[in-house]
Amino acid sequence: MKKDFYTAVEDRRTFYGISKDTVVSDERIEEIVEHAVKHTPSSFNSQSARVVLLLHEHHDKLWNLTKEALRKIVPADQFTSTEDRINSFKNGYGTVLFFEDNNVIDSLQAKFPIYKDNFPIWSQQASGMHQYVIWTSLEIDGLGASLQHYNELIEADVKKEWNIPNEWKLIAQMPFGKPVAQPDEKQFQPLEERIKVFK
């Protein structure tokens, strides 16, 4: 039975313990990504989000690439913990790569110069919404995910490996898979310190 919206929001967590075990079909994962990209809002309906879905050997290749990029900058005596972390992502079933198309942002800045400084901000906000919609949708279908940001380290290699247009800016990586370890209980700050209501 599908979860209602509030339950899905509550259950969406950061899962680091994930496996390659099949939970849903590749076609279903593609449907999740396509639905999110089509229906998630963006300012001025810019539709600047770009998403790359990596499954199977492509997913493994991404995290091998990331590991080697980190090997170049992390001291050898500290690399074991870094390698373990990257391997935890590689243990998953796939990865969603989130990009924003700078061509779209540049054209909007030229067309609406009064909002020029806001378009990059609105682009990031739209990307965050895409990330959240896909993350929560994966949760509904029984997949655990986390959000990673190795952008500057791997962007050039990612673009070369998967022939990604240079105008696409890498924003985040979302490895996902079958959850094999539960996250710690989430702690919440008092809502009265975070919300003001005026009636």
Side-chain angles (χ1 to χ4, degrees):
M1 188 173 74
K2 291 289 185 186
K3 296 180 179 182
D4 65 67
F5 178 74
Y6 290 111
T7 302
V9 168
E10 289 176 23
D11 289 348
R12 184 227 48 85
R13 298 289 309 280
T14 295
F15 285 89
Y16 292 115
I18 53 177
S19 77
K20 294 185 184 301
D21 295 336
T22 302
V23 174
V24 295
S25 68
D26 292 353
E27 291 73 22
R28 175 58 186 152
I29 296 168
E30 291 177 46
E31 286 176 10
I32 288 170
V33 171
E34 289 171 359
H35 190 271
V37 171
K38 183 175 182 179
H39 293 289
T40 301
S42 56
S43 67
F44 286 67
N45 195 29
S46 65
Q47 301 178 54
S48 57
R50 304 291 181 263
V51 173
V52 174
L53 175 61
L54 301 177
L55 300 172
H56 311 297
E57 67 270 12
H58 294 282
H59 161 79
D60 290 346
K61 189 177 288 186
L62 172 74
W63 294 107
N64 287 334
L65 180 153
T66 305
K67 188 190 303 182
E68 293 313 308
L70 285 163
R71 194 185 302 277
K72 296 174 184 175
I73 63 169
V74 176
D77 62 340
Q78 299 172 23
F79 191 70
T80 300
S81 61
T82 297
E83 185 172 29
D84 290 345
R85 185 171 182 82
I86 297 303
N87 285 340
S88 74
F89 306 141
K90 184 181 173 184
N91 288 341
Y93 189 82
T95 301
V96 183
L97 301 179
F98 296 89
F99 297 83
E100 283 289 303
D101 188 340
N102 281 328
N103 277 344
V104 175
I105 298 163
D106 291 345
S107 68
L108 286 167
Q109 287 177 313
K111 189 173 182 180
F112 303 101
I114 193 171
Y115 299 122
K116 180 180 181 183
D117 293 339
N118 289 322
F119 282 115
I121 298 169
W122 292 336
S123 163
Q124 290 287 332
Q125 291 171 346
S127 181
M129 286 191 279
H130 281 81
Q131 294 161 33
Y132 187 76
V133 170
I134 290 176
W135 196 346
T136 306
S137 299
L138 291 171
E139 157 62 37
I140 289 171
D141 275 42
L143 291 160
S146 67
L147 195 63
Q148 306 303 319
H149 301 90
Y150 293 98
N151 309 341
E152 291 79 6
L153 282 174
I154 65 172
E155 183 166 11
D157 291 335
V158 165
K159 287 179 176 178
K160 182 179 178 182
E161 181 65 39
W162 286 284
N163 196 28
I164 305 298
N166 193 52
E167 296 78 14
W168 292 18
K169 179 175 176 55
L170 182 60
I171 305 297
Q173 306 85 54
M174 183 178 289
F176 63 87
K178 179 181 178 181
V180 294
Q182 292 299 311
D184 295 335
E185 184 176 346
K186 193 169 185 178
Q187 303 300 314
F188 298 95
Q189 297 176 6
L191 289 179
E192 56 268 22
E193 296 177 7
R194 303 168 65 192
I195 300 172
K196 292 185 183 293
V197 177
F198 301 92
K199 297 183 181 181

